[in-house]
Amino acid sequence: MAVYELPDLPYDYDALEPSIDQRIMELHHDKHHQSYVDGANSALEKLQSMRENDEWGDVKGVKRNLAFNLSGHVNHSVFWENMSPDGGGEPGGDLADAIEADFGSFDGFKGDFSATAKGVEGSGWGMLLYDHVGDRMIVSMAENHQNQTPQGTTPLLVLDVWEHAYYLQYENDRGEYVDNFWDVVDWDDVAQRYDAASSM
């Protein structure tokens, strides 16, 4: 009953060097992301069995596992596409205008996002989200993959700050990792996500 599948990387494992090295990408994509895919599929199978047998003993735990693993799968799927070996610089067009309107300036947004990503307690994500209720972008953080993320939002740009995303290369210097992330951000991908979210 597998529903979720690991997406292919849109570039080679070493394509984001020196910002993110090859070995991290191999482990992060092939091992960590795969585990979230497997966990989400396993939770779906358990829920199907519960429905078929009308036995709901651990439904709370299974629902928690589904939220954790499916959020991990979604976040990583966006994360890979948010980066490119040809990334960096600043956005243009409608996305640039929206960042100016919502954050005052690109530098204001970048400072907000970087401080948020660096400030995540433990494991989690820095996230640029489209808030469909407020019809604007907001910067938020997620602890683990799903906690503290506002409802009614669509991820546009996400940065994984779990230690497995950077520790082999940056050791305990999350700040340097966050700073170097800007060199590989694919603004075309973020702009496409913004256009789609803002037109919903």
Side-chain angles (χ1 to χ4, degrees):
M1 183 190 157
V3 172
Y4 305 111
E5 296 182 359
L6 182 70
D8 293 332
L9 283 178
Y11 35 73
D12 293 334
Y13 292 116
D14 64 353
L16 302 180
E17 292 184 344
S19 295
I20 305 176
D21 73 25
Q22 176 178 341
R23 186 59 179 152
I24 287 176
M25 293 298 293
E26 290 171 347
L27 292 170
H28 196 172
H29 176 266
D30 295 0
K31 303 297 184 185
H32 290 281
H33 189 171
Q34 182 68 62
S35 73
Y36 303 128
V37 171
D38 294 343
N41 285 325
S42 174
L44 288 181
E45 290 173 2
K46 289 175 182 176
L47 289 169
Q48 180 179 357
S49 177
M50 287 177 172
R51 288 189 296 270
E52 290 172 352
N53 296 296
D54 195 26
E55 294 179 0
W56 304 98
D58 190 31
V59 67
K60 183 176 180 180
V62 176
K63 295 284 188 178
R64 185 184 297 117
N65 286 340
L66 179 60
F68 175 83
N69 286 293
L70 181 52
S71 295
H73 174 43
V74 170
N75 292 348
H76 282 91
S77 296
V78 175
F79 182 52
W80 310 133
E81 298 286 342
N82 275 167
M83 298 184 291
S84 166
D86 300 317
E90 298 184 15
D94 291 342
L95 177 60
D97 293 342
I99 287 174
E100 180 94 16
D102 294 341
F103 299 99
S105 66
F106 177 74
D107 287 341
F109 155 69
K110 185 175 177 181
D112 187 346
F113 188 99
S114 293
T116 300
K118 292 174 185 180
V120 171
E121 293 184 356
S123 299
W125 298 75
M127 310 181 90
L128 173 65
L129 304 168
Y130 190 83
D131 171 15
H132 294 277
V133 176
D135 194 26
R136 56 164 293 145
M137 291 182 290
I138 59 173
V139 169
S140 185
M141 65 175 63
E143 291 181 355
N144 289 326
H145 301 300
Q146 77 283 13
N147 297 333
Q148 297 189 3
T149 305
Q151 298 294 315
T153 59
T154 298
L156 307 177
L157 176 68
V158 299
L159 175 56
D160 189 345
V161 292
W162 285 64
E163 286 188 345
H164 65 241
Y166 63 88
Y167 209 86
L168 284 177
Q169 181 175 358
Y170 293 95
E171 296 182 344
N172 65 335
D173 194 348
R174 180 192 289 180
E176 184 181 4
Y177 163 69
V178 172
D179 292 341
N180 289 340
F181 170 67
W182 297 107
D183 294 332
V184 294
V185 172
D186 185 346
W187 290 113
D188 290 338
D189 179 71
V190 181
Q192 290 173 9
R193 294 178 188 279
Y194 171 77
D195 289 345
S198 62
S199 63
M200 291 175 66

